[in-house]
Amino acid sequence: MGRDLVAVKEGTIQIEAGGDGIKSTNDEDTSKGTIALEGGTYDITSGNDAIQSIASLWITDGTYTIKSGEGSPETISNHEERMPGQETSKAATTTESESYKGLKASVDIAIGGGSFTIDSEDDAVHSNQHVTLAGGEFTISTGDDGVHADSSVATTGGKIDITKSYEGIEGKNITIEDGEIQLTSSDDGFNVAGGNDASGMDMPAAAAEGSGTLQINGGYISVNADGDGLDSNGSISMTDGVVIVNGPTENMNGPLDYDSSFNITGGFIVAVGSSGMSQSHSEDSSQTGVLMTYPEMQSPGTMI
C-alpha cells in the first residue's frame, strides 16, 4: 500500500490478502494516489480488489494472474439478487467490504501491454471515469462486467477474451478503434449506458438517459450474448472492422438494440438471434444491408 504512489519496475510479486492486494490511498491530493506498473510477474489473490487506485492505474507491461473475492461464480445471477459492487462515487472506492474487482481506479485506467488472467467476483477492469486499452492480452472470467467505465471505454489494440461475464463491455461511451475482442455474456455483450436499461451495478442512473454512443472504427469483435448483442441507449456508429454477433434466443432481447440510430458507412457485420425485437441499421446509412427473419425458430446447424 502506498499513500501517494505505488510504482513497480520489475520483479516477482506474490500476494495473498484478506483485503486489497495492491492499493493507493491518497484521497486528499488529486495529483497523487497513482499506481504505475512497468513490468514484473504478479500472482495476486485478494479478499477484495486485487489492484485498486484511488486515482489512476497505469500498466505498460508485466504478467498478472489475479483472483479477487471468490472469483467468478459458476452461474451468474441477476443483479437484483446480488449485493457486491454497489459503489458509484470516489468516496465509496475506499470501502473494501463491497468491492471485489480485479483492476480498479477512481479516475483512469490505461493499459499499453502485458498479459492478464483475471478471475473476479465483480468487474474485472473497472474505472469510475475512463478505461483505455492500447495493448496487452486479457483472459477474463467475471461475475459482473468484463470491462466497465462510468464514462468511456476505448480500445486501440490488444486481445481481449472474456469467457464469462454478466455484461462484456459497458460504459457511457464505447469506442473500438482496433484490437481483437471475443466475449460471452449472460446479458448484454456491449452495453452503452446501463444494462437491462440500467442494470449495471456500478452504472450511475443518469447514464441511462440515452446520450451515449457505441463507435466501431476497426478491429475484430465476436459476441455471444444471452441478452442484447450490441446495446446502446443512445446510438451506434460503424465505419470499419468486423463484427459477429451470436445474439439471444429469447424474443425479449435482440442481436442489435439502439434507441437513437445505427449508422454504418463501412465494415462488415453479421448479427444473428431472436427476431421479436429485431432492429437493422438506420435507413439513411450509406452502406446497405439485409434484415431477414424466419417465421419460426430454426434448428442449430441450419444452412442460410
Side-chain angles (χ1 to χ4, degrees):
M1 181 172 73
R3 179 166 173 79
D4 294 346
L5 171 70
V6 175
V8 181
K9 186 175 181 64
E10 59 186 15
T12 301
I13 299 174
Q14 183 172 353
I15 296 172
E16 294 185 14
D20 296 330
I22 298 174
K23 71 182 295 184
S24 61
T25 63
N26 192 325
D27 58 357
E28 298 176 356
D29 186 341
T30 57
S31 67
K32 297 180 179 179
T34 295
I35 296 176
L37 307 176
E38 294 186 3
T41 300
Y42 304 78
D43 188 345
I44 302 174
T45 300
S46 61
N48 293 116
D49 300 322
I51 302 176
Q52 189 237 113
S53 170
I54 195 65
S56 294
L57 171 61
W58 316 113
I59 300 176
T60 57
D61 203 355
T63 300
Y64 302 80
T65 302
I66 289 171
K67 180 179 181 180
S68 63
E70 296 181 0
S72 61
E74 183 176 349
T75 301
I76 299 176
S77 59
N78 293 330
H79 284 177
E80 288 78 6
E81 302 171 0
R82 300 162 61 238
M83 294 301 293
Q86 293 180 335
E87 72 261 35
T88 59
S89 66
K90 181 174 180 178
T93 63
T94 62
T95 302
E96 293 182 344
S97 60
E98 295 184 346
S99 187
Y100 312 97
K101 297 175 173 62
L103 309 178
K104 173 181 167 184
S106 297
V107 184
D108 294 333
I109 293 179
I111 299 176
S115 175
F116 303 82
T117 302
I118 302 175
D119 182 12
S120 59
E121 183 175 346
D122 201 346
D123 296 344
V125 180
H126 173 98
S127 172
N128 287 7
Q129 293 191 30
H130 310 285
V131 172
T132 302
L133 304 178
E137 295 188 1
F138 298 80
T139 301
I140 291 172
S141 178
T142 172
D144 196 14
D145 299 339
V147 179
H148 173 104
D150 288 356
S151 184
S152 69
V153 176
T155 70
T156 60
K159 183 177 181 180
I160 303 169
D161 186 5
I162 302 173
T163 61
K164 182 197 301 182
S165 67
Y166 181 75
E167 292 186 324
I169 299 178
E170 180 177 63
K172 188 175 181 181
N173 291 283
I174 300 173
T175 302
I176 308 299
E177 296 289 349
D178 202 355
E180 180 179 333
I181 300 171
Q182 300 189 61
L183 66 86
T184 299
S185 63
S186 63
D187 193 34
D188 301 335
F190 281 74
N191 183 49
V192 171
N196 275 348
D197 292 334
S199 71
M201 291 193 299
D202 308 303
M203 180 63 67
E209 295 177 353
S211 61
T213 300
L214 170 60
Q215 178 77 46
I216 301 171
N217 298 324
Y220 176 87
I221 298 169
S222 175
V223 175
N224 186 356
D226 288 343
D228 298 319
L230 306 182
D231 182 4
S232 175
N233 290 347
S235 62
I236 303 174
S237 177
M238 183 172 179
T239 64
D240 202 355
V242 175
V243 178
I244 308 295
V245 177
N246 287 298
T249 58
E250 297 180 355
N251 282 325
M252 62 185 295
N253 292 298
L256 304 175
D257 182 10
Y258 58 88
D259 288 351
S260 177
S261 63
F262 178 12
N263 186 274
I264 179 169
T265 61
F268 178 79
I269 179 170
V270 175
V272 180
S274 56
S275 60
M277 300 184 68
S278 62
Q279 288 183 291
S280 182
H281 62 299
S282 299
E283 292 184 0
D284 58 356
S285 295
S286 63
Q287 179 158 301
T288 56
V290 174
L291 172 62
M292 185 188 74
T293 62
Y294 282 105
E296 59 186 15
M297 185 175 292
Q298 300 297 296
S299 300
T302 300
M303 182 67 71
I304 298 176

